[in-house]
Amino acid sequence: MSFLPKPKLHHPSLGCNSVGFTRRDYEGAISTLCAGCGHDSISAAIIHACFELDLPPHRIAKLSGIGCSSKTPTYFLGNAHGFNSVHGRMPSVLTGANLANRDLIYLGVSGDGDSASIGLGQFAHAMRRGVNMTYIVENNGVYGLTKGQFSATSDKGAKNKGGATNKDEAIDLVGMAIQLGASFVARSFSGDKAQLVPLIKAALTHNGAAFIDVISPCVTFNNHAGSTKSFDYVREHNEAVNFLDVIVEKQEITVNYEPGTTELVRQHDGSLLRLRKLGQNDYDPTDRAAAFNFLEHHKAKNEIVTGLLYLNPKSSDLHDSVGTATTPLNELQDNTLCPGSAALDKLNASLR
Ligand SMILES: Cc1ncc(C[n+]2csc(CCOP(=O)(O)OP(=O)(O)O)c2C)c(N)n1
Ligand code: SF4
Ligand SMILES: [Mg+2]
């Protein structure tokens, strides 16, 4: 059985957020993934982020492709709109839905196989077009659902469970997203909820293409010595550049920070991102070229850089560039859809 509904009961004293929902209202069915799978921790972080952002679940549309990762939308936001599409095709289905109804908040969930192998072209075009969405890749370096083949994000030299070595170069989706023009690019780790939840909140409030690569160990097929996506390896090589707080516009914006260690970035919707810099670096996430160099530099040292890596605070989205109507298509009235024969005659005359 792949769908186990959770009982609706909850403790009467469970707190509500400002739109009247408890945390339970953001949950989905009981997960059927392997116990300990990193993907389940990401689902928990999504639930946490949406509850804290006070998002009404029915205002969210969650879409995915095929894979263990793409199964996860069943396990969170049971009251949201959902569409489980074809392997690697989530970005185009989401783009279509977004163009038809811009009033929903779009969350795309995918895997490294789904996005870096079969769906690489779809991933690239969603990023370069600036589709207003949060795009999460649950990156375990293998095709988990089909029993652990190397994926395109598996590092060269990494070993699979049977001891075979990957001979191909890895695709770094974070570097690609920056290069392709995504306006929000981050990397995190499923085992670091304190870092991941604020990143998801910031991505959900961002206008434009927001991409988060989340290293998410596959405990069944890729959590052994020799894997560069295991819990132990990521913990040992994780280099966090910053820590994020999200202050949404409706709250009174007060900040308290040590000068020189915190950076404030105001987003398109008025929300404020408070970035606490970690370590001794002076990392500036708004400098695209520097972000790219930083990534390459640390990759050469086998370090996995996490945190908010690139942000364009003046981002725009596909609707801005295409100039679409502000009203969702299903709400347009006949007089708007059909302005009459006089308007058609005028248009035809202008083309003669
Ligand atoms: C068109 C098509 N090709 C191949 C498959 C077989 N298939 C299903 S899931 C998958 C890979 C999933 O890997 P990933 O996206 O990394 O997800 P994970 O299971 O690791 O979370 C493949 C190759 C398919 N379902 N459809
Ligand atoms: S096979 Fe791997 S990715 Fe799939 S549910 Fe199990 S641990 Fe998770
Ligand atoms: Mg995978």
Side-chain angles (χ1 to χ4, degrees):
M1 186 190 279
S2 63
F3 184 89
L4 295 167
K6 274 189 192 163
K8 293 263 181 245
L9 293 172
H10 65 73
H11 195 277
S13 66
L14 196 63
C16 289
N17 60 13
S18 76
V19 285
F21 294 105
T22 68
R23 194 173 293 251
R24 294 290 315 273
D25 296 317
Y26 294 82
E27 294 178 354
I30 293 171
S31 172
T32 58
L33 302 186
C34 309
C37 176
H39 298 351
D40 278 334
S41 308
I42 302 172
S43 298
I46 291 170
I47 290 167
H48 197 115
C50 293
F51 172 78
E52 285 194 348
L53 277 179
D54 301 321
L55 299 177
H58 64 274
R59 283 207 51 229
I60 302 168
K62 47 175 188 173
L63 292 95
S64 62
I66 299 289
C68 298
S69 36
S70 292
K71 282 172 69 178
T72 64
T74 306
Y75 314 135
F76 60 79
L77 296 172
N79 296 317
H81 305 273
F83 195 92
N84 187 209
S85 72
V86 181
H87 197 23
R89 271 56 167 196
M90 174 276 286
S92 55
V93 177
L94 188 150
T95 303
N98 185 311
L99 283 174
N101 187 351
R102 62 195 289 166
D103 276 358
L104 296 176
I105 296 159
Y106 289 90
L107 172 61
V109 176
S110 180
D112 41 307
D114 202 57
S115 283
S117 297
I118 193 168
L120 189 62
Q122 299 242 336
F123 165 78
H125 294 292
M127 292 297 109
R128 66 181 268 274
R129 287 179 177 141
V131 180
N132 190 11
M133 68 186 292
T134 297
Y135 192 137
I136 296 179
V137 167
E138 305 191 343
N139 186 355
N140 52 19
V142 287
Y143 300 166
L145 191 72
T146 52
K147 304 207 180 303
Q149 301 86 350
F150 287 126
S151 81
T153 66
S154 181
D155 289 308
K156 189 173 184 174
K159 298 230 182 296
N160 74 7
K161 212 178 166 183
T165 304
N166 180 31
K167 298 195 175 77
D168 299 326
E169 285 293 339
I171 289 177
D172 181 1
L173 290 173
V174 160
M176 277 192 79
I178 295 174
Q179 199 263 326
L180 287 162
S183 44
F184 178 114
V185 181
R187 183 185 282 132
S188 192
F189 173 42
S190 62
D192 188 353
K193 206 174 171 193
Q195 183 192 54
L196 181 57
V197 171
L199 283 174
I200 295 174
K201 284 166 76 175
L204 286 168
T205 54
H206 180 74
N207 180 51
F211 174 66
I212 313 179
D213 178 41
V214 189
I215 313 286
S216 174
C218 168
V219 288
T220 303
F221 297 112
N222 205 13
N223 196 33
H224 45 267
S227 159
T228 58
K229 302 276 192 288
S230 66
F231 278 108
D232 285 347
Y233 186 92
V234 181
R235 279 196 193 106
E236 277 161 29
H237 294 79
N238 190 345
E239 182 70 27
V241 290
N242 47 37
F243 188 83
L244 189 71
D245 287 331
V246 182
I247 306 159
V248 290
E249 191 191 19
K250 62 191 172 200
Q251 291 170 3
E252 185 195 359
I253 293 179
T254 55
V255 286
N256 175 21
Y257 62 96
E258 294 287 317
T261 59
T262 300
E263 185 164 320
L264 297 170
V265 188
R266 189 173 291 278
Q267 292 209 99
H268 187 269
D269 67 343
S271 63
L272 209 56
L273 302 186
R274 182 168 55 184
L275 278 163
R276 278 206 303 282
K277 291 180 178 177
L278 300 178
Q280 292 305 306
N281 65 69
D282 54 359
Y283 190 78
D284 174 7
T286 61
D287 185 336
R288 189 161 169 242
F292 203 72
N293 286 338
F294 190 85
L295 270 177
E296 290 299 308
H297 177 73
H298 285 269
K299 198 168 18 170
K301 296 199 283 179
N302 288 332
E303 285 169 358
I304 303 169
V305 187
T306 59
L308 177 59
L309 302 169
Y310 175 64
L311 175 75
N312 176 356
K314 298 198 176 76
S315 61
S316 58
D317 87 322
L318 181 60
H319 288 282
D320 299 327
S321 52
V322 177
T324 51
T326 51
T327 313
L329 299 190
N330 67 349
E331 289 173 26
L332 288 175
Q333 302 301 312
D334 282 353
N335 57 352
T336 314
L337 290 169
C338 181
S341 52
L344 184 61
D345 290 344
K346 196 172 158 202
L347 179 68
N348 282 338
S350 74
L351 297 171
R352 283 196 184 101

